[in-house]
Amino acid sequence: MQFARHVKWRSEKFGAVVFDTLNEKVFVTNKTVNGILDLLSDGLDEAAVSERLGEEYADADGDQIRSEVAVFLEDLRARGLLASDVEVER
């Protein structure tokens, strides 16, 4: 999974800052989301992200992790922050 070309992000002490340069919007996240963004930037897909978070947060319910990752990624898609399949092929 990749970010859209117009999306830039960077890690901070508190989490991450995501820049949507196309729509001139800035999003601030917590450390957990920063970890998800890190995994996405490494090219992991939704299942792999959920698996890694399950390993990191071993006390958490795996179904809840998968559900929350799916909701978060759908939000990124809805905001146009993830690359479409066409954009990735170029």
Side-chain angles (χ1 to χ4, degrees):
M1 206 166 282
Q2 296 179 2
F3 296 103
R5 291 181 185 171
H6 62 275
V7 174
K8 308 294 181 212
W9 75 280
R10 70 171 188 240
S11 293
E12 296 289 344
K13 291 179 183 179
F14 54 81
V17 179
V18 180
F19 303 94
D20 177 352
T21 60
L22 184 64
N23 297 301
E24 298 180 349
K25 292 188 177 185
V26 177
F27 304 93
V28 179
T29 75
N30 61 26
K31 289 183 180 183
T32 302
V33 173
N34 183 39
I36 295 171
L37 297 174
D38 242 350
L39 295 171
L40 292 175
S41 70
D42 288 343
L44 274 65
D45 65 9
E46 184 173 329
V49 168
S50 295
E51 183 178 330
R52 288 273 185 94
L53 290 176
E55 292 168 1
E56 186 173 340
Y57 299 100
D59 294 339
D61 176 47
D63 290 336
Q64 182 178 359
I65 290 173
R66 284 186 289 282
S67 174
E68 290 185 19
V69 167
V71 168
F72 176 67
L73 295 179
E74 184 55 39
D75 186 48
L76 291 179
R77 284 184 196 95
R79 294 175 187 268
L81 301 179
L82 292 181
S84 66
D85 293 336
V86 173
E87 188 177 15
V88 172
E89 290 176 7
R90 289 184 185 173

